[in-house]
Amino acid sequence: MKNMSSTPPKTDHRSSVPLTPSVKLKYVKLGYHYLATNSVYLLLIPLIAVTLTNLPSIPSLLEICNQNPTAILAVASISLSLILTVHVARSRRSVYLLDFACYKPSPAHYCSRELFMEVSSAPGEFTEDSLDFQRRIMEKSGYGQMTYAPTGLLTKSPPDQSIAAAREETEAAIFGAIDNLLEKVGVEVREIGVLVVNSSMFNPTPSLSAAIVNRYKMRGNVLSYNLGGMGCSAGLISVDLAKDLLQVHPHTYALVVSTENITRNWYFGNHRPMLLTNCLFRIGAAAILLTNRPSDRRRSKYQLRHTVRTHKGASDKSYRCVFQHEDDRNIIGISLSKELMAIAGEALKTNITTLGPLVLPVAEQALFLATLVAKKLLRWKVKAYVPDFKLAFEHFCIHAGGRGVLDEMEKSLELTDQHMEPSRMTLYRFGNTSSSSVWYELAYIEAKGRVRKRDRVWQIGFGSGFKCNSVVWRALRNVDPKCEREKKNPWRDEIDGFPVHVPKVAPILH
């Protein structure tokens, strides 16, 4: 793995990105989409051309108007009504992010790297080889000493993996995030019409969404959804689902809650691909409040611009690269394939091929198209052009799945140290909190006072299946870091100490 503090030197050339058939098909579909959705406006072009070529006949048109003004007025009114009707039918409700909040556990949940190894050694379930493997992973992980883990795993022997302990962990996280959010926004719970919760690995009955409805006494007709098994990108899928629901349910709020459970999913076997999850995942949760009320635009932080979802599950290799199953001792765990990084890279290429035309400047799109035509049609030996996404976004929130993921994203998108800082510092401070990690990253950017009005934010998530999802936001106002510290931003008490240097290898003291 690369050293976080010694990123490779940037060059002016673009790396080669091979295009798969699915990527090329995406462009065909996208072109068709543009033609279909803008057909009404495209049909007006010939009409305007005919009008301009017949300007000399304008006097005769004026005579007709003078002879029969009522008929002309009627035709004009009908035409205007049709245009307005088409415009209203095609327009979509704007969706705004009023605010969000991230859960910050108490210091009792601190899980230093030394404590992690102590807890792993205590049950006597792991072989010396497995313990040595976990030690080496932790030393190169980019994690600090203040990530969080469940007390049932940290302080009890044998570890408590009961349903009750798992509920305690998850409910503390999601209720803590929601409490902070409601305190921030001042919205009555009964005004919330949509609730979307995602937790991949812990889905009890009643559901977590039902637990939230019960805890906050939400109204009886709230539209609640509970997403499970969708991996670390499920938080962005939840935003996409909430956005679609807000298109058909006017004048309401949508609450999105993203979390993951550690208690029930700690692996006590010796199959190496399954041991990685113990090393990577930590406690975290985020609550996000979206609205489609025009009156809320003034006090909202961001406007939702785009959501792009990519699913590579049709490929068996992609489908099985993050897979839950039993090991040879019938111990359940989640296996991570050695090909995970390559699969994630392919999913990213497909995703940005769809996202690029929506966000990139025309010049960047033209360069990409020109090299694509030269390479594929003219058979010239040229490298495929990788668009410069730094021209489209000021801020990047890349899922903190691990140091290797961030290194690969930095290289592929040719990002700077400052662009990667929120993701790397989130990985260091909170670890991999699954689907909520992109919100800890955005909270970091806000706490640093870097969000200015009209800034564009790109959140990128990767998840089992295999999926790559993107959400694009545009800042509606400057975000005051002083206010963020007062409003329970998870970084509020320690942001001045970041960024920190993270060595390539941090030895664990015995």
Side-chain angles (χ1 to χ4, degrees), residues 210-225:
I212 293 173
V213 171
N214 176 261
R215 165 67 179 261
Y216 294 96
K217 309 306 177 189
M218 302 180 81
R219 68 196 202 198
N221 64 344
V222 63
L223 302 175
S224 65
Y225 299 84

Side-chain angles (χ1 to χ4, degrees), residues 204-255:
T205 299
S207 66
L208 298 179
S209 60
I212 293 173
V213 171
N214 176 261
R215 165 67 179 261
Y216 294 96
K217 309 306 177 189
M218 302 180 81
R219 68 196 202 198
N221 64 344
V222 63
L223 302 175
S224 65
Y225 299 84
N226 204 93
L227 307 183
M230 303 193 77
C232 299
S233 67
L236 301 185
I237 294 175
S238 296
V239 170
D240 182 61
L241 174 58
K243 175 203 70 175
D244 289 343
L245 291 167
L246 289 174
Q247 295 303 314
V248 294
H249 297 280
H251 205 65
T252 192
Y253 295 99
L255 174 62

Side-chain angles (χ1 to χ4, degrees), residues 324-338:
Q324 184 182 31
H325 61 98
E326 296 92 350
D327 65 10
D328 55 4
R329 296 170 55 199
N330 288 324
I331 301 175
I332 296 175
I334 302 171
S335 178
L336 303 183
S337 167
K338 292 180 179 179

